[in-house]
Amino acid sequence: MTPQELIAKYALGETHFPEAQLDGANFWGADLIGINLQEADLHNAILIFAYLSRANLKQANFINANLSGANLNQANLTLAELHNADLHGAVLIGANLTNADLTLANLLDANLMGADLRGADLSGANLSGVCLREANLREEKRVYNSSLRGTILRKADLQGANLQGADLARGELSGANLKGVNFRRADLHEADLSGANLENAILTEANLIGANLVKANLKNAKFERALMEDADLRLANLTWANLPGARLNRAKLNKANLTNARLNRADLSRTNLSQAKLIDAEMIDTYLARANLMGADLTRANLIRAEISSTNLAGVILTGAMMPDGSEHR
């Protein structure tokens, strides 16, 4: 079937074209709203600015296809093959992309607001500037797989997205809007989150070992039992952050703002907290062995039962702080 024949039949009201062989076809700007192309072969096809909203594209083959600027709102792309597809500027609001293959796909500036991406493989995909607000990328399994490993999400908008258990190891998320994102048990080790907005984000039990969080906004973020060894948090905003039981040994927190942060039972051994602000911070039972607090401000901090016997406290401000023995420093 040629593209012209399909368009002619569609214009007459026919919408059912499962398993159609349309490899390399040109559908530039075509109006195919609500079409059924389940399991169709559209590899290398040109669908620039095509209208495919509410289309059934389940298990369709779009490998190397060009879907730049296409409208795929509420389309069913379950198990679709989109390897190396060009979706630059495509609109996929509310689309179903569960278990789709988007490896090496170009999603630059695409709109996936509210899309379902559970089980989708986005390894090596370019999601710079993408909108993933309220999208669901939750990994249902407790083990990590490579669904998002190495993904580029620079300056992407993922506000409110569900990324629970997702694998974003070594991902590029610098400058991204991650406000309120659920990263519970996600793998973000060695990810670049520098300058990212993670205000109110949930990072409970997340793996942030070696992550770059320089100048990140982590206000009121939840890091309960998070793994943050060797993470770089210099100049980060951690005001009101919740970090009980977090493992921050050897982390860099130079000049970070931890005012009103909760660090109870956290492991801060060998951590660099020089010139950090810890005003009114809760540090009950916090482990600070060999930590560097040189020049830090711990005004009114609560250090009851904290381990500070081998801590570098040179130049530390402890006005009104509760010391490990329960006494108030004056």
Side-chain angles (χ1 to χ4, degrees), residues 21 47 65 81 164 268 278-279 298:
Q21 297 300 305
L47 294 132
E81 296 285 342
Q164 181 170 329
L268 289 158
L278 288 147
I279 301 167
L298 282 87

Side-chain angles (χ1 to χ4, degrees), residues 20 40 92 239 253:
L92 296 114
T239 55
L253 284 152

Side-chain angles (χ1 to χ4, degrees), residues 109-127:
D109 297 325
N111 188 345
L112 288 111
M113 184 182 292
D116 192 344
L117 287 145
R118 286 175 298 173
D121 192 345
L122 286 148
S123 318
N126 183 359
L127 285 93

Side-chain angles (χ1 to χ4, degrees), residues 250-318:
R250 297 184 306 277
K252 297 174 184 175
L253 284 152
N254 320 47
K255 298 183 179 180
N257 188 350
L258 291 132
T259 301
N260 289 299
R262 296 182 63 192
L263 291 147
N264 302 332
R265 303 179 306 283
D267 184 353
L268 289 158
S269 56
R270 295 185 173 84
T271 299
N272 191 343
L273 286 149
S274 60
Q275 300 182 63
K277 289 183 181 179
L278 288 147
I279 301 167
D280 292 309
E282 279 191 22
M283 304 176 76
I284 300 169
D285 292 311
T286 302
Y287 190 62
L288 288 151
R290 304 291 299 278
N292 181 9
L293 282 159
M294 184 180 292
D297 188 349
L298 282 87
T299 301
R300 296 183 303 278
N302 188 343
L303 289 154
I304 289 177
R305 295 189 303 276
E307 171 53 59
I308 61 169
S309 60
S310 58
T311 304
N312 182 354
L313 297 169
V316 172
I317 300 170
L318 289 161

